[in-house]
Every structure is written in C-alpha cells, then in structure tokens.
Amino acid sequence: MVDAADIPRFKDLGVIASMQPSHLLTDMNWAEARLGPQRAAYSYAWKAFLDAGVPLAFGTDYPVEPITPFRGLYAAVTRMNEAGTKTYFAENKLTRGQALSAYTQGSAYAEFAEKRKGKLAPGYDADFILVDRDLYTVNAAAILHAKVRETFVAGEEAFADNATAQ
C-alpha cells in the first residue's frame, strides 16, 4: 500500500516497485475493511506505477505464498479472487504483456541483470520455461491452472514433465 502522492516520487528517486501480485488474492479479503477504501485503492497499484514510469518487478514471495507465478499473473491481469466472484480495484489491473514483463524484464532490472536476463535475445542467459497453454490467449481463469512443461537454464533443458508433454 502506498499513498497516491508518493507514486511519482518512486520515479523521481529511482525506486523500483517490487511487488508480489499473489498477495492481492489473500489481502483483498480484509484490506478495504481495515484500511478504508481511499487507502486500499492504492494497495497493489501496479498500473498506477507503470503509468507514472516506475519500474515494476514481480515475484512470488515463496514460501509466504505458493511458489507458482501463474497465481500472481492471474491476480495482476484480473484483480479478482480465484473463484472469479470478487474484484479488487480493477482500475489497476495490467495487460498480460505488462504482467509478464514485470515477472521477467522487471525482475531482471531489479537485480541489475537486465543486460543478460529477462528476455530471449542473442547474448542473454536463455533461462525460460515452456507452459502447457498460451498465457496471452487463454481464458483468464485458465492461467491459474497453467503447468510448466519444460524448464531451460542457460539454454539447456533442466526439467521436463513427461506427464504433461504432448
């Protein structure tokens, strides 16, 4: 949670907004009642940060939350509970591209590794996963059920789930 007036200060001071979107799924159950609607409106204000030109980095905060990034991706693009029955300040939801960038390029930037991590390009580390669905086109609820089929580290296969391989 941040005061709306402080969001531009992040950019001015060069501060990275590092957040874990999966926290929204649990915090949305109590945040507005405890913080009040005006303060709660700027909890998990991802779009407001991006609109202000603030670098955004996402992570999972495991073991506090489940390790899967798909839960956080779902939260970032829907701002809805996992049942799809409650929305939390939808004006701050992100596009799928923005959320995936925060998990990849944003996190690489936050660890000062943006010149070698965060995207697939010549000279980069080539750490990536293959998933069992197209995260850009599936129904948003299906993001929650995405499974990693293969993991590559430095361009070499490090994991293959033969049970989900097609």
Side-chain angles (χ1 to χ4, degrees):
M1 185 188 76
V2 70
D3 188 302
D6 287 335
I7 292 175
R9 294 184 63 221
F10 275 64
K11 180 168 175 42
D12 294 343
L13 297 172
V15 175
I16 298 164
S18 178
M19 300 187 208
Q20 294 72 37
S22 60
H23 283 299
L24 175 133
L25 298 174
T26 50
D27 294 356
M28 70 187 296
N29 296 316
W30 59 263
E32 192 170 358
R34 292 188 186 168
L35 301 172
Q38 287 182 318
R39 288 180 17 185
Y42 286 92
S43 55
Y44 307 104
W46 307 311
K47 186 165 184 325
F49 278 110
L50 285 182
D51 289 348
V54 176
L56 187 60
F58 282 169
T60 63
D61 201 23
Y62 178 79
V64 174
E65 294 282 350
I67 197 167
T68 175
F70 304 121
R71 192 169 174 262
L73 179 61
Y74 168 83
V77 302
T78 67
R79 296 185 67 93
M80 296 180 77
N81 64 3
E82 291 165 286
T85 58
K86 181 180 179 183
T87 302
Y88 188 79
F89 299 101
E91 64 273 13
N92 267 298
K93 68 182 176 180
L94 300 178
T95 67
R96 293 173 195 218
Q98 290 169 324
L100 287 165
S101 179
Y103 270 110
T104 56
Q105 293 181 20
S107 293
Y109 179 78
E111 68 169 291
F112 304 100
E114 71 273 15
K115 291 188 166 102
R116 64 178 185 83
K117 293 172 89 174
K119 60 183 173 180
L120 291 176
Y124 281 67
D125 286 356
D127 298 340
F128 62 94
I129 60 171
L130 298 177
V131 294
D132 65 349
R133 60 201 71 204
D134 183 341
L135 298 174
Y136 281 95
T137 61
V138 296
N139 176 292
I143 294 171
L144 288 166
H145 307 290
K147 301 286 184 224
V148 174
R149 290 174 53 184
E150 296 178 77
T151 302
F152 290 80
V153 177
E156 300 290 325
E157 186 178 70
F159 167 79
D161 183 355
N162 295 324
T164 60
Q166 294 179 9

